[in-house]
Amino acid sequence: MEQQPASDPGTAPDPLAASDPRAASDPRAASDSRGAPDPRAARPPDPRAAIETVFRLESPRVIAAVARVVRDVGIAEELAQDALVAALEQWPRDGVPDNPGAWLTATARHRAVDLVRRRENYARKLQEIGRGLDPAAPPEEPADPDAIDDDLLRLVFTACHPVLSAEARIALTLRLLGGLSTPEIARAFLVPEPTVAQRIVRAKKTLATRNIAFEVPYGPDREARLGSVLDVIYLIFNEGYAATAGDDWLRPALCEDALRLARQLAALMPKEPEVHGLVSLLEFQASRTAARTAPDGRPVLLKDQDRRRWNRMLVARGIAALDRAGAVATGAPGPYALQAAVAACHAHAHTYEDTDWTAIATLYGLLAARTPSPVVELNRAVAVSMADGPGPALEIVDRLVAEPSLRDYHLLPSVRGDLLLRLGRTPEAKAEFERAAELTGNERERELLRARADECRPD
């Protein structure tokens, strides 16, 4: 859960910029130039296209509803796929139901109940012949006002269980909650399809063999598990926000998926300040999308962005989410709320020079105290350089040079090169930008860093 340095141009896409889907249902579009109905418009919608759309949208809730019955996300996904097959068989013949999501859920649940009954019958037969099989009952959940009873939320916490690796959590979350196929996940993260498939299979097997309960933890365990959920959503967003490799600087679809998951989580857990903090941070970051790249796809640094192109609607949503985080908080702000507050400082500034860098440096100081991290210190150094000058900031950065975790982190030499350039130490700055270009795996970012190195000419 580490944010890019404030000097980095990274941010995310505008999910509200898509064309209005209502245009497809405009009756005027169903007429030819003479006003006569187009006979093609009278054809019923393609059931297979409807099935594909509905399943992508509804599969998380279908899987979540079934997982509550069978207590196994792998089996739940298989039963959801069985419901999809049934839809492919019946809908072209009988027509698309009025509530296709409910149809899929009911079909999958019926099959889940049948499966559970077969298991229970088998267990009884074993007992009758003296082999004694005592099926373990699911653990009882607390009947307190703080208990949460939402199948989708249970699925979120199960897919992001800390027993899984970060890579497995991301793959499973995108599969179960994002509705992405294995090839789509593989393309998004530039890894082979078999690798993604193995991660998903191993994740499901781990959850089953470790007997991980399909539940939302409560009490102290919830706070500990919530961090894992938020971190996975943030990691997904960050990969779209500034791709680690490949030719594209942005991957809008990943950012949209992460933002949608964060908004869903906020709706399901309205009393959790850090959930609102994460939503706020992502809304602010997403607001800058249109200004983050040039027409040819080159990254545009934050200081060079045309802020008139920032999406003010998303900025307003970010402010509202940050206000909600403050309203429900009972103590000091958490890491995501602090990062959102940093993003709010940028959003409130009409120009780069108008930014309250002193406030940002203070916020990063609080973040460093709350969650010490070399990357947070690097962020703080950028803010200090703008508030107090490059000299004090370079002292902070030089202390990070020997940090093992930042040895191959390209933004460390990038930030150091910028500070050295501002101090007039041009040859050293050029060397730092060249090193940063060698370390990054993203081609667009490499081009930007090489261009900065080329600009470092002796006076």
Side-chain angles (χ1 to χ4, degrees), residues 41-360:
R43 294 177 182 175
D46 180 8
R48 291 183 177 275
I51 294 169
E52 179 181 351
T53 301
V54 169
F55 192 75
R56 179 179 286 269
L57 293 174
E58 298 292 338
S59 60
R61 295 190 179 277
V62 176
I63 294 170
V66 175
R68 188 174 187 182
V69 177
V70 298
R71 301 275 168 170
D72 186 310
V73 294
I75 294 175
E77 188 181 17
E78 291 175 6
L79 293 172
Q81 292 288 342
D82 288 346
L84 173 62
V85 172
L88 288 169
E89 293 172 349
Q90 297 183 35
W91 291 8
R93 181 186 68 239
D94 303 333
V96 179
D98 293 335
N99 191 335
W103 189 98
L104 287 168
T105 301
T107 300
R109 282 181 62 90
H110 288 158
R111 297 182 182 223
V113 170
D114 289 342
L115 176 63
V116 171
R117 286 174 177 167
R118 288 197 299 271
R119 286 176 173 175
E120 291 175 348
N121 289 337
Y122 178 68
R124 281 197 297 270
K125 288 178 180 179
L126 287 180
Q127 288 177 335
E128 289 171 0
I129 62 176
R131 296 185 181 178
L133 180 62
D134 183 19
E140 294 186 2
E141 298 177 12
D144 63 19
D146 197 33
I148 298 177
D149 185 17
D150 187 285
D151 291 338
L152 187 59
L153 191 57
R154 294 168 188 264
L155 184 60
V156 172
F157 273 88
T158 302
C160 296
H161 196 285
V163 73
L164 304 176
S165 68
E167 294 81 6
R169 288 179 233 158
I170 291 172
L172 192 60
T173 300
L174 286 175
R175 176 66 173 267
L176 298 181
L177 292 146
L180 273 66
S181 66
T182 299
E184 288 172 329
I185 299 171
R187 284 196 301 271
F189 286 90
L190 301 179
V191 294
E193 287 184 32
T195 300
V196 173
Q198 290 170 7
R199 287 176 183 173
I200 293 172
V201 169
R202 284 198 297 264
K204 294 177 188 175
K205 184 176 181 180
T206 298
L207 294 175
T209 57
R210 298 285 291 272
N211 198 28
I212 301 300
F214 183 69
E215 64 179 3
V216 175
Y218 54 92
D221 290 341
R222 183 186 302 168
E223 183 177 354
R225 288 272 295 279
L226 179 60
S228 175
V229 174
L230 299 180
D231 288 352
V232 165
I233 294 175
Y234 188 51
L235 286 170
I236 293 170
F237 183 91
N238 261 358
E239 183 56 32
Y241 167 98
T244 55
D247 297 330
D248 297 322
W249 175 245
L250 292 176
R251 292 182 185 161
L254 275 181
C255 293
E256 291 173 10
D257 285 330
L259 187 52
R260 176 170 53 83
L261 290 174
R263 288 171 177 168
Q264 287 178 339
L265 192 61
L268 295 170
M269 303 184 72
K271 296 181 180 180
E272 292 289 347
E274 273 293 80
V275 176
H276 295 299
L278 177 62
V279 172
S280 175
L281 174 62
L282 302 193
E283 300 279 13
F284 281 130
Q285 302 284 44
S287 71
R288 305 177 200 158
T289 300
R292 286 195 62 232
T293 53
D296 62 358
R298 288 181 296 106
V300 178
L301 294 170
L302 180 62
K303 65 183 179 64
D304 299 324
Q305 289 176 15
D306 182 356
R307 300 191 175 209
R308 293 171 298 180
R309 301 185 66 196
W310 287 7
N311 188 307
R312 306 316 298 183
M313 180 181 294
L314 293 180
V315 169
R317 292 182 67 122
I319 293 171
L322 187 57
D323 288 342
R324 284 192 292 272
V328 298
T330 57
Y336 286 113
L338 287 171
Q339 291 184 73
V342 170
C345 290
H346 290 296
H348 286 304
H350 294 293
T351 66
Y352 188 75
E353 292 72 22
D354 291 338
T355 306
D356 190 346
W357 292 105
T358 300
I360 292 178

